Amino acid sequence: METARIGQPTPKVGGPLAKQTVLRRVLRTDPAQEYLVYVPRLDSRDAPLCVLVHGISRNPRDLVKRFAPYAEALGVVLVAPHFAKEQHPDYQRLGFQGRGARSDLALNAIIEEVMWLTGVVTQQIHLFGHSGGAQFAHRYLMAYPSRVARAVIVSAGWYTFPNARDRFPYGIRPTSRLRGVRFDPEEFLRVPTTVFVGSEDTTTAGMRRTKRADAQGVTRVERARNWVASMRAAADAYRFHPLVSLREIDGGSHSFKSLAADHQLGGRAFEALFGGPSAPAPNGGNGNP
């Protein structure tokens, strides 16, 4: 097994993981699958696991570095899969197209390995995704709701809606192209989920522009609003208290770096995921704290 500091040679190691260091690892059961892990100084067997999923820029290191101070303050173990384009060209849809590896199964294996390496014992993860990672994250929580304690979805390009009329990935009607996955709204509607989107995230560059995708809205802001409204309506139909909420970030764009540096996305996300006192709470859900 190998582990390394990002950007450093990869030495062979044994024993526990180094703490307060971003480590790059390869999955024991699949050496082609890489992931990053950060273990805080004050870790314990009941430490929460927070999974961070990158967008199509495939920048897991940026996510971990931005979230590490919050993880350190709250004793949270960070895990960030690297869904390489060659191995996971369709990771946003869990590997739906049948090209490359299944990203949902890869994450399940990574979580199992990290729990073994760290000694952390937990039944559920806290899940964060930005852009393409937000696409993966909301579909993963819909497919595996019992594994997700809370989720934060940021700036997804388009969504899977909670209706059984449309086949996945537009709806939750099962598909043979994603074998073994079934979507149960009575389960996934019980997962507390916060959707963030910048008020200025209105460019259509890089967005999926098909008739069915555009029916969700023309911009990421419109699509976020419509998905949240649909999820809340579905919860109402089941007589559940709606647990999906929307927070629009005043002046925010699509850029993860800008959202993190200029709009305190790390604090907002950790407040939504953990309610941590170290994370600055949003000002009414909109605008800068």
Side-chain angles (χ1 to χ4, degrees), residues 14-25:
L17 297 179
K19 297 181 181 181
Q20 298 181 289
T21 302
V22 181
L23 301 172
R24 175 172 56 87
R25 299 189 64 89

Side-chain angles (χ1 to χ4, degrees), residues 103-260:
S103 54
D104 58 335
L105 302 183
L107 179 57
N108 291 343
I110 290 169
I111 293 169
E112 182 178 352
E113 178 167 292
V114 169
M115 290 175 63
W116 178 77
L117 288 168
T118 61
V120 167
V121 178
T122 183
Q123 298 298 315
Q124 295 181 308
I125 63 170
H126 294 75
L127 183 60
F128 172 93
H130 171 259
S131 193
Q135 289 190 44
F136 170 91
H138 86 274
R139 291 176 179 127
Y140 183 91
L141 79 83
M142 294 173 85
Y144 301 95
S146 65
R147 298 189 179 199
V148 181
R150 288 178 176 268
V152 166
I153 311 301
V154 183
S155 308
W158 61 291
Y159 297 84
T160 293
F161 273 66
N163 72 75
R165 299 185 305 276
D166 296 327
R167 195 178 300 276
F168 182 85
Y170 288 95
I172 59 173
R173 185 178 168 192
T175 172
S176 60
R177 298 170 73 181
L178 198 65
R179 295 187 181 279
V181 173
R182 294 292 182 269
F183 302 94
D184 185 350
E186 292 194 63
E187 295 297 327
F188 67 68
L189 290 170
R190 298 179 186 271
V191 179
T193 302
T194 305
V195 177
F196 289 94
V197 65
S199 64
E200 302 302 316
D201 193 354
T202 55
T203 177
T204 59
M207 285 182 59
R208 185 178 184 84
R209 298 301 309 276
T210 65
K211 183 177 180 180
R212 298 179 75 185
D214 284 351
Q216 300 182 6
V218 178
T219 69
R220 290 183 180 88
V221 175
E222 292 178 2
R223 293 179 182 184
R225 291 172 179 169
N226 290 334
W227 186 73
V228 169
S230 180
M231 291 286 282
R232 293 180 67 86
D236 286 339
Y238 281 99
R239 299 184 183 276
F240 296 163
H241 176 69
L243 296 179
V244 180
S245 60
L246 175 65
R247 297 184 183 178
E248 296 184 23
I249 301 175
D250 188 28
S253 66
H254 187 67
S255 165
F256 171 77
K257 289 184 178 181
S258 176
L259 290 172

